[in-house]
């Protein structure tokens, strides 16, 4: 399976209050987010992390937290990401365009874009950064914009499967 997520902010105590996350403290948040992640993403799955995996932790602690996440991880860098241990990832990019997973291309970037490759021809853009609620994705769809925020805050603190996104976008697999 293929999954996407963004803005875990592991180790970032202030994000709990900034985004009204339902956790008592950063230890609980880290534990729940890692558990939720691993409950969906298994060892042989591929997961695209669209930035801000950790924040406000040392590089050693960041690498330790990332090492607890299942799957073949591909990082699309966000504004809070560090120079993580590259061996934890299959690849590290600022932008990536995926082809061959469905009937259109999928553009991945931490930040939302107004336009992306083939955006006027039905391609999809997945992003994070804004910490939107799921209503944002509904609004984009209602406006005919194929842009989807895969961030934890808008997806019940779980990664999102490619299949779920394609069904939501009504795109052929």
């Amino acid at each position: 399976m293929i999954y996407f997520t963004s803005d875990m902010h592991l180790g970032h105590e202030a994000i709990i209050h900034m985004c009204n996350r339902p956790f008592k403290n950063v230890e609980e948040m880290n534990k729940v987010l890692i558990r939720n992640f691993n409950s969906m993403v298994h060892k042989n799955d591929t997961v695209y992390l669209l930035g801000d995996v950790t924040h406000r932790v040392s590089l050693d602690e960041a690498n330790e937290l990332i090492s607890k996440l299942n799957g073949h991880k591909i990082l699309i860098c966000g504004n809070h990401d560090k120079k993580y241990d590259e061996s934890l990832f299959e690849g590290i990019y600022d932008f990536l365009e995926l082809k061959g997973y469905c009937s259109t291309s999928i553009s991945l970037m931490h930040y939302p874009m107004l336009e992306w490759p083939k955006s006027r021809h039905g391609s999809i853009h997945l992003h994070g950064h804004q910490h939107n609620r799921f209503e944002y994705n509904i609004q984009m769809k209602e406006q005919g914009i194929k842009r989807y925020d895969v961030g934890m805050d808008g997806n019940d603190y779980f990664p999102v499967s490619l299949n779920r996104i394609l069904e939501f976008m009504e795109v052929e697999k």
Side-chain angles (χ1 to χ4, degrees):
M1 287 285 282
I2 298 165
Y3 294 93
F4 303 89
T5 194
S6 181
D7 300 290
M8 294 179 80
H9 281 253
L10 296 171
H12 187 197
E13 181 89 37
I15 200 71
I16 296 168
H17 306 291
M18 290 167 59
C19 291
N20 199 27
R21 289 185 174 184
F23 306 111
K24 291 182 295 195
N25 55 46
V26 73
E27 292 79 19
E28 179 188 25
M29 180 182 75
N30 290 350
K31 181 179 175 182
V32 171
L33 294 183
I34 291 169
R35 183 185 70 218
N36 288 357
F37 184 101
N38 288 337
S39 73
M40 294 191 72
V41 179
H42 299 101
K43 187 175 93 172
N44 292 318
D45 292 333
T46 297
V47 61
Y48 293 88
L49 299 160
L50 274 61
D52 292 0
V53 182
T54 68
H55 187 47
R56 301 274 185 199
V57 294
S58 70
L59 183 57
D60 287 341
E61 187 177 351
N63 288 330
E64 182 182 333
L65 289 165
I66 293 166
S67 73
K68 294 178 181 180
L69 301 173
N70 288 342
H72 301 283
K73 297 175 284 294
I74 299 167
L75 177 65
I76 310 301
C77 295
N79 52 303
H80 295 302
D81 290 307
K82 302 175 179 299
K83 190 135 178 76
Y84 303 125
D85 179 351
E86 291 181 13
S87 72
L88 295 170
F89 302 96
E90 302 288 321
I92 299 174
Y93 306 90
D94 290 322
F95 171 85
L96 188 62
E97 188 176 5
L98 304 178
K99 297 176 182 177
Y101 284 133
C102 61
S103 61
T104 189
S105 65
I106 303 170
S107 293
L108 308 178
M109 189 168 191
H110 177 65
Y111 304 100
M113 296 184 284
L114 292 176
E115 291 191 22
W116 53 92
K118 300 183 182 115
S119 60
R120 296 174 193 241
H121 302 283
S123 69
I124 299 169
H125 170 40
L126 305 181
H127 70 88
H129 184 65
Q130 295 179 311
H131 298 268
N132 294 305
R133 297 296 177 206
F134 192 75
E135 290 74 27
Y136 165 88
N137 294 330
I138 294 169
Q139 289 172 341
M140 292 297 100
K141 183 178 179 180
E142 288 172 349
Q143 294 173 30
I145 301 169
K146 292 190 180 252
R147 186 169 62 213
Y148 189 106
D149 186 336
V150 298
M152 284 276 171
D153 297 288
N155 294 286
D156 296 323
Y157 307 102
F158 283 89
V160 184
S161 73
L162 175 61
N163 289 341
R164 179 176 164 197
I165 292 167
L166 295 178
E167 287 171 14
F168 178 82
M169 295 281 189
E170 300 175 25
V171 171
E172 288 184 37
K173 297 176 188 174

